[in-house]
Each structure stands twice: as structure tokens, then as C-alpha cells.
Amino acid sequence: MKIIIWGHKLHTHTSSYVHYGFYKAFSFMGHEVYWVDDNDDVSPINFDDCLFLTEGQVDKKIPINPTSRYILHNCDTVKYEGVKKKLNIQYFHNSITAKDIPDDQHPTFIAKGDLTKINDYTFFDGGTLFQPWATDLLPHEIDLKNAHNETENRECVWIGTYGGWGSIFQNHLQIDPFFDECRANNISILRIDPWAAPVSPEENQKLINRAFLAPSIQGEWQVKHGYTPCRLMKNISYGHIGITNNSAANYLFDGQLVFDENIQALFYKVLEKKNDPNMIGEIKALMQEVKTKHTYINRAEMILSLI
């Protein structure tokens, strides 16, 4: 199949990492894949009978071809009214589900209204597929031998969005207290803005794997809506323990993450976990979970099954 990712080039937008993941997955699955944007010369490409994947901020010049199918994320639906086969994709969040939390077990997510529950993190309403993003590693690239508990290099590594002052998506109010505890405990901080100072996916993996701490802390809005970030899945797949202040993310991993909504408490839970002799085994179990359920191969296969 010919697949056209009409999207954000790598490191130009947070969605570029989603497009990178799909590019890797579809390519590995044996499809003919093109990753282009509005500035590319696409005249040599035949757009008949293609599968397009795009995002609403970068689809200004996307061809509307009646023989092709479209995977749309946050796009203007009017533009695609004439397209016969299309599928909207959105990230999974608990606002679309009814959450039932029994006293003695981890919660289940139950579909609301017209939603069909495919699994605990995948729902479909007939037009929109809800599923989380994923790690950028392919299943065979997730090597359980890379599970690592760094004890000497006392560095906390954060690679990703930080700030958002005044926005509903801000996260610095949650990240800063963790950094404060790091400083108070003689743990240095390496904070990399992937847009200002891009690091390669390979370097990202190396830095996280060898980090003393690599948290996946989220802002109030994401926590409230149960948004499970790809950063968490990446960090785990790279061989690091999952660290989160998001209860929904912890639920999806069957309560096996280092979790606390209180940031200071979370920090000290992580320090305690690092002294647990079973930690490497727990990291491997989490890595296997991501390898099995949370790669872009999984996400691509789900999309293809519905389109």
C-alpha cells in the first residue's frame, strides 16, 4: 500500500514525533511510505489509491483524491466531506469513558454512549478511533536486556515540552517541584527542549536509559483528563522505570508504575524504588507490556483494520 504522511517534519512540532512513529511502523510493515509537507515538491507522486495520514495544522495543500483514504487528526471536517473513506483519530483519554474503580482492584474503562470498547485503551464510535500514542521503538527494538537502574550518574533527564505558562496545557507547576527535590538531593538536571535543541531518537534513548531519574510528569489538564503521554511509553521502552503523577496512566499499566499525585511524595517513592532488588525485573515486565501493546505497529494495525 502507498501511504502518504502529510505532516510535521521531525522536531518541528510535538505531532512530528507521532508522524515519525507512524513512518517507522508503516515502513517496517512493508508499505511504500512518503513523509511530506506543504513545502515539498510532490509532483512525482501518484496520489491515486493512497492512504493519507495528516494533522489539521499542516494539511493546507493536501490533495483530495476520490480514490484514496484519509486518516485525520484535528482536521477541518468540511474539507474532507467529499472523501468516501476516512477515519478520525484522537488520543485516548478518560473523558470518553465511564470509569469504574472497584475497591479491591484496578479500574476498568467502560465505553460511554455509542462508543465501542476494543480494549482498555482503544475505543471507536464509528467515525473516530481513540487510542494513545506510543513509543517510537519497533517491537524488535525493545530489548529487555536494556533494562537499567542507574546508580552512579545522579542526573534527572527531561526531554520534551516544559512550560506553557498561562495555558491550560502548562506543566511547569508540576515539574518544578520534582526538580526542586532533585536539587535538594544533589541530583543534577538535564532539561532538553526538543525544538530548540533537537536530539536524535537514538540519543534520546541513550540519555533516558542512563538517567538516574526520567520522570513523565504531566500538567493539571492532562492528569484530569487521563491523557497517557507517549513520553511515558518511550521512557519505559528505553529501559527506565515508569514514573508518573497520572492515575489513569498508572491504571493502564495495572498499577505497576511509580505513582503519586503529590510530586514531592512521587520523588521519594522513586528514590525508594531504586533500592528495590526487584526493580530490574519490574522494568522488564513494563518493557514487555509496551513491546506487546504500545508501539506504532499496534496503532497502525488498528487503523488499518478500521479503514
Side-chain angles (χ1 to χ4, degrees):
M1 183 186 301
K2 187 185 297 182
I3 294 176
I4 314 296
I5 299 175
W6 199 283
H8 300 272
K9 295 296 179 67
L10 194 59
H11 303 307
T12 62
H13 187 273
T14 185
S15 291
S16 73
Y17 303 105
V18 175
H19 294 163
Y20 171 71
F22 277 119
Y23 178 82
K24 281 187 66 175
F26 283 125
S27 298
F28 181 77
M29 294 165 71
H31 300 291
E32 180 183 357
V33 187
Y34 298 85
W35 188 0
V36 302
D37 64 18
D38 283 347
N39 297 317
D40 287 324
D41 177 10
V42 296
S43 58
I45 305 175
N46 182 347
F47 292 123
D48 290 337
D49 196 27
C50 293
L51 178 66
F52 285 90
L53 186 150
T54 191
E55 193 271 338
Q57 298 175 76
V58 286
D59 67 343
K60 182 178 179 181
K61 296 182 180 179
I62 191 171
I64 304 299
N65 189 301
T67 67
S68 293
R69 293 165 285 177
Y70 290 78
I71 309 300
L72 309 173
H73 178 55
N74 292 340
C75 294
D76 180 0
T77 56
V78 174
K79 181 171 185 173
Y80 299 92
E81 282 184 347
V83 175
K84 293 182 179 179
K85 291 187 177 181
K86 56 181 177 286
L87 175 70
N88 296 310
I89 57 173
Q90 281 292 344
Y91 50 78
F92 166 81
H93 54 89
N94 61 17
S95 299
I96 64 166
T97 67
K99 191 167 63 173
D100 176 25
I101 309 178
D103 292 337
D104 60 347
Q105 56 186 283
H106 298 302
T108 55
F109 292 97
I110 303 169
K112 284 182 179 178
D114 295 330
L115 281 173
T116 297
K117 178 178 178 179
I118 298 175
N119 56 46
D120 271 347
Y121 49 88
T122 311
F123 293 79
F124 184 55
D125 69 0
T128 300
L129 170 66
F130 297 87
Q131 59 180 351
W133 304 133
T135 179
D136 56 356
L137 294 185
L138 299 170
H140 72 275
E141 295 175 324
I142 302 176
D143 187 347
L144 272 58
K145 294 179 182 178
N146 290 332
H148 183 66
N149 179 22
E150 179 62 42
T151 58
E152 297 182 2
N153 177 29
R154 291 175 64 83
E155 184 175 62
C156 176
V157 177
W158 178 273
I159 302 174
T161 302
Y162 166 85
W165 289 267
S167 163
I168 62 170
F169 301 116
Q170 66 77 29
N171 60 9
H172 66 98
L173 294 177
Q174 287 70 35
I175 297 172
D176 283 345
F178 196 93
F179 286 170
D180 289 342
E181 295 301 326
C182 285
R183 296 184 184 99
N185 287 270
N186 297 314
I187 299 169
S188 64
I189 296 166
L190 175 62
R191 183 170 65 82
I192 297 175
D193 183 335
W195 299 284
V199 295
S200 70
E202 295 76 17
E203 182 66 13
N204 189 336
Q205 182 179 353
K206 180 180 177 181
L207 288 169
I208 296 298
N209 179 262
R210 293 293 169 179
F212 186 75
L213 300 174
S216 179
I217 295 171
Q218 297 172 257
E220 181 180 358
W221 187 93
Q222 289 191 354
V223 170
K224 179 181 178 181
H225 290 83
Y227 173 90
T228 300
C230 59
R231 178 183 297 106
L232 176 63
M233 297 171 184
K234 289 177 180 178
N235 288 0
I236 292 171
S237 71
Y238 299 163
H240 201 284
I241 193 70
I243 304 168
T244 183
N245 63 325
N246 183 349
S247 62
N250 191 38
Y251 294 153
L252 286 181
F253 281 92
D254 199 29
Q256 298 305 303
L257 305 181
V258 182
F259 160 73
D260 203 294
E261 291 181 344
N262 181 282
I263 303 301
Q264 286 83 2
L266 176 63
F267 175 84
Y268 289 102
K269 279 187 177 182
V270 181
L271 290 192
E272 182 180 358
K273 173 60 69 175
K274 290 185 71 65
N275 294 319
D276 186 339
N278 298 318
M279 183 172 177
I280 293 297
E282 293 181 18
I283 294 173
K284 288 182 177 180
L286 289 169
M287 292 175 73
Q288 185 61 47
E289 183 84 355
V290 174
K291 183 183 182 108
T292 303
K293 299 179 180 179
H294 300 299
T295 73
Y296 277 97
I297 295 287
N298 301 110
R299 306 300 182 252
E301 288 177 341
M302 181 60 63
I303 285 172
L304 293 179
S305 73
L306 294 173
I307 193 67

